[in-house]
Amino acid sequence: MKPINERLIELREHSQLNRQHFATRIGIDQGTYSRYELGQTKPSFDTLEKIAICFPKVSATWLLTGKGQMFTDAKPDVVDSPVMQSVEESEEMKELKKDRDAWRDMAMALIKSPSAAALLGKLKGNPDAAETIAEFFRSQMRASYAA
């Protein structure tokens, strides 16, 4: 069974798209997509859902687990529910969920921290507050990685 980065390369090459065009088509940054293909990071559930929506003939099971054929004969009438609902959970899926949960837990801890509360209190009415908050969280995440 191929890892997800190899499946992404296979799908992109089959679609005859370069990395930039593939990334643009699914609505993500080309650098982020390149890291997926290089195996440096794994795509989020949101990204996998975008791929499934942009390439509706691609089997969600194949995309997520590597099992079965790349393409399905079934054409979805409406793609309005998360792709993950009917997919057998593989070890790779469990790892992706674990990563997602870890990021969510870290974000919640940062949001609830005293330093975040103090920062938010100082920023009331500041038009640049969103960027300041984003930079605060980026710095907190960098610090947590350094630890």
Side-chain angles (χ1 to χ4, degrees):
M1 192 166 28
K2 293 179 183 178
I4 193 157
N5 65 311
E6 291 180 19
R7 294 193 303 272
L8 291 173
I9 293 168
E10 186 176 349
L11 174 59
R12 179 182 56 78
E13 288 176 347
H14 185 274
S15 303
Q16 299 179 342
L17 297 170
N18 63 30
R19 285 181 180 172
Q20 177 63 50
H21 289 122
F22 192 91
T24 300
R25 183 165 178 186
I26 63 172
I28 65 170
D29 176 71
Q30 192 257 330
T32 300
Y33 179 75
S34 292
R35 287 189 292 281
Y36 297 155
E37 279 198 7
L38 294 171
Q40 295 171 342
T41 59
K42 293 186 179 185
S44 67
F45 286 124
D46 290 339
T47 299
L48 293 171
E49 187 172 21
K50 288 177 184 180
I51 293 169
I53 290 169
C54 290
F55 298 90
K57 292 184 180 183
V58 171
S59 163
T61 301
W62 174 84
L63 180 62
L64 296 169
T65 68
K67 294 178 182 177
Q69 299 296 313
M70 183 190 309
F71 295 101
T72 178
D73 293 332
K75 253 184 160 177
D77 293 330
V78 180
V79 183
D80 64 341
S81 62
V83 174
M84 312 323 159
Q85 289 178 353
S86 64
V87 176
E88 180 182 332
E89 191 163 344
S90 68
E91 288 305 312
E92 196 167 16
M93 286 289 295
K94 289 177 186 176
E95 188 177 330
L96 286 169
K97 284 183 179 180
K98 183 179 171 186
D99 290 347
R100 177 201 61 197
D101 293 344
W103 278 102
R104 183 182 57 229
D105 293 346
M106 184 168 50
M108 290 306 295
L110 286 171
I111 289 167
K112 293 177 181 179
S113 72
S115 53
L119 175 68
L120 291 172
K122 292 177 186 176
L123 294 175
K124 286 186 180 173
N126 181 345
D128 298 323
E131 183 55 37
T132 305
I133 292 168
E135 182 52 41
F136 167 77
F137 285 112
R138 283 192 290 270
S139 68
Q140 294 293 310
M141 292 168 84
R142 283 192 294 270
S144 71
Y145 278 123

